[in-house]
Amino acid sequence: MGKRILFLHHTALVGGAELHLLSVARHFRDNSSVVLFADGSFRQALETAGVSTRVFPSKWAASGVRHQDPSFTMANISGVLRLAWLTAHAARDADLIYANSPKALLVLSVARLVRRKPVIWFLHDLLDEKHVSPRAIRLLIRTANRTATRILANSSATAAAFVSAGGRSDLVRVVYDGFDAAPFMDTNVDLSALRAELGADGSPVIGVFSRITQWKGQDVVLRALVKVSSLVAVFVGEAEDPASGDEVRRLARELGIADRVKFLGFREDVPQLMRVVDCIVHVPTDPEPFGRVVVEGMLARRPVIATRAGGIPEIIENGVSGILIAPGSPDELAEALRRILSDPEAAAEMAANGHARALACFSDKRMLSEIEQHVSEIALVS
């Protein structure tokens, strides 16, 4: 009989960390369950995948610890205590608990006072001051050092940031996120019709796949577009807030390229859209802990241009399986785009190399096998 795992996560909005948990929880679904601190589309996705899921709604969980100092109001303390009690009760039959977010770890640090269970924390975030407030970093480091049995980081950059902030290096192992390649190889999709939907009229198309917010670098893409004529950019993803969306559209108009920019918003057919663009650009101005879009672009057999920061250089071999540029540099991005567009054969070879690397290094099979190994090791010593 497999180990019984209680997975814990704070939100029901779907992003990279949630897609990771969906894959892991689905793999262990026969004898495991998930607890969420909010209801929404992620709960529905888990249940559709056959994962037993419970929701303990919490206003406290809706306000994150990232970018702001933790607030120790009576209402927040009461909310944490309530969640800790409910979590301890839910974990009574579990062999171990898998915390998939900082909020989940904070709740577990209290829940373990009632019911001590080994804890795996999967760390999806760079704990540096560009992403998390100093006070929140100190709180998370202290909590992780005393609560986690093992910490799995999604890149060496993420692991290094944790240790640099005071985290115990003996707790940390790197487990790269893994991906199912099947959606990027579906032969039952009319790609020509999807390409026509973009309305590029024969022009080359670059795809930018991320939520629209200041640090994701959409402004860098627009400024590079000015320098590369006859190129169309397609932005796929929701705006983090109305102001962010308005700002990007305003900049496109000011630069005189609004007719070469298309905003598609949230789409469920991202793997197919990636396959019909000529190049995928992912150029956040702040370091990312991993770079999910980069691997997805490689799986789609597209040449990928991304920034040389955070976990992304661990994915791309510069000049071989993609192109790395400095963060915040429209000039370097424009040069990389010209390089891709001027040499289709070299671009195709780069895309093929990227596809092979993604399959070899970032498969869901590899990720799940490594997580299974960590679960087994913890179970042996617990």
Side-chain angles (χ1 to χ4, degrees), residues 299-312:
L299 288 172
R301 293 180 182 268
R302 299 292 88 195
V304 178
I305 302 171
T307 44
R308 190 188 304 108
I312 292 175

Side-chain angles (χ1 to χ4, degrees), residues 305 308 324-326 329-337:
I305 302 171
R308 190 188 304 108
L324 297 174
I325 66 169
S329 176
D331 290 336
E332 281 196 39
L333 176 55
E335 178 58 34
L337 288 168

Side-chain angles (χ1 to χ4, degrees), residues 227-272:
K227 304 172 186 294
V228 186
S229 60
S230 302
L231 183 64
V232 172
V234 174
F235 292 84
V236 182
E238 291 181 300
E240 187 170 68
D241 54 70
S244 297
D246 292 344
E247 175 62 22
V248 172
R249 288 173 171 82
R250 181 195 60 76
L251 181 60
R253 292 192 299 270
E254 285 185 357
L255 295 173
I257 57 172
D259 60 330
R260 293 196 282 135
V261 178
K262 300 181 184 299
F263 296 94
L264 301 188
F266 173 78
R267 295 283 293 246
E268 294 185 347
D269 56 349
V270 165
Q272 292 75 38

Side-chain angles (χ1 to χ4, degrees), residues 334-363:
E335 178 58 34
L337 288 168
R338 286 191 287 264
R339 176 180 169 186
I340 291 292
L341 297 174
S342 66
D343 193 342
E345 289 187 5
E349 181 180 358
M350 188 177 295
N353 291 339
H355 183 255
R357 179 166 171 78
L359 292 177
C361 301
F362 305 106
S363 71

Side-chain angles (χ1 to χ4, degrees), residues 10-313:
H10 75 287
T11 184
L13 299 175
V14 179
E18 291 73 36
L19 292 173
H20 163 90
L21 180 55
L22 177 61
S23 180
V24 178
R26 180 171 52 211
H27 180 70
F28 289 99
R29 64 188 169 193
D30 288 345
N31 49 9
S32 299
S33 62
V34 173
V35 164
L36 302 176
F37 298 157
D39 199 1
S41 56
F42 184 43
R43 187 265 302 166
Q44 297 165 0
L46 287 164
E47 291 181 344
T48 299
V51 178
S52 174
T53 307
R54 283 171 286 182
V55 177
F56 302 151
S58 167
K59 291 183 179 180
W60 167 79
S63 60
V65 296
R66 299 182 67 191
H67 307 292
Q68 58 183 312
D69 286 336
S71 176
F72 298 103
T73 65
M74 288 303 297
N76 284 347
I77 293 171
S78 176
V80 171
L81 291 174
R82 170 182 166 272
L83 288 175
W85 178 258
L86 291 170
T87 298
H89 181 71
R92 64 189 183 280
D93 295 325
D95 295 304
L96 61 92
I97 306 175
Y98 187 109
N100 196 58
S101 67
K103 286 253 174 172
L105 182 72
L106 293 174
V107 168
L108 280 179
S109 70
V110 181
R112 290 183 83 245
L113 299 175
V114 178
R115 197 178 305 278
R116 298 191 67 82
K117 301 282 184 176
V119 171
I120 291 176
W121 182 29
F122 201 100
L123 179 55
H124 297 276
D125 303 299
L126 277 172
L127 296 184
D128 64 29
E129 294 183 13
K130 288 187 176 181
H131 294 262
V132 187
S133 77
R135 189 178 180 189
I137 290 174
R138 291 193 296 271
L139 174 62
L140 288 170
I141 292 296
R142 288 196 300 268
T143 302
N145 283 344
R146 70 170 184 262
T147 301
T149 310
R150 184 158 299 175
I151 297 167
L152 305 181
N154 62 358
S155 69
S156 294
T158 300
F162 173 80
V163 174
S164 178
R168 289 173 49 189
S169 60
D170 61 300
L171 295 178
V172 186
R173 309 289 188 276
V174 174
V175 176
Y176 290 119
D177 276 331
F179 300 78
D180 179 7
F184 299 88
M185 302 178 181
D186 188 354
T187 59
N188 297 317
V189 179
D190 187 352
L191 296 180
S192 60
L194 195 57
R195 174 79 180 199
E197 181 189 333
L198 302 182
D201 297 325
S203 298
V205 181
I206 62 171
V208 183
F209 297 83
S210 64
R211 70 182 185 275
I212 296 176
T213 189
Q214 184 177 6
W215 73 277
K216 285 293 188 178
Q218 284 91 2
D219 62 318
V220 177
V221 177
L222 293 176
R223 296 183 191 283
L225 208 63
V226 174
K227 304 172 186 294
V228 186
S229 60
S230 302
L231 183 64
V232 172
V234 174
F235 292 84
V236 182
E238 291 181 300
E240 187 170 68
D241 54 70
S244 297
D246 292 344
E247 175 62 22
V248 172
R249 288 173 171 82
R250 181 195 60 76
L251 181 60
R253 292 192 299 270
E254 285 185 357
L255 295 173
I257 57 172
D259 60 330
R260 293 196 282 135
V261 178
K262 300 181 184 299
F263 296 94
L264 301 188
F266 173 78
R267 295 283 293 246
E268 294 185 347
D269 56 349
V270 165
Q272 292 75 38
L273 283 168
M274 284 186 165
R275 292 167 66 189
V276 300
V277 301
D278 298 291
C279 176
I280 289 170
V281 175
H282 187 66
V283 288
T285 54
D286 288 345
E288 283 198 329
F290 181 64
R292 187 178 189 91
V293 169
V294 174
V295 179
E296 290 176 334
M298 294 160 78
L299 288 172
R301 293 180 182 268
R302 299 292 88 195
V304 178
I305 302 171
T307 44
R308 190 188 304 108
I312 292 175

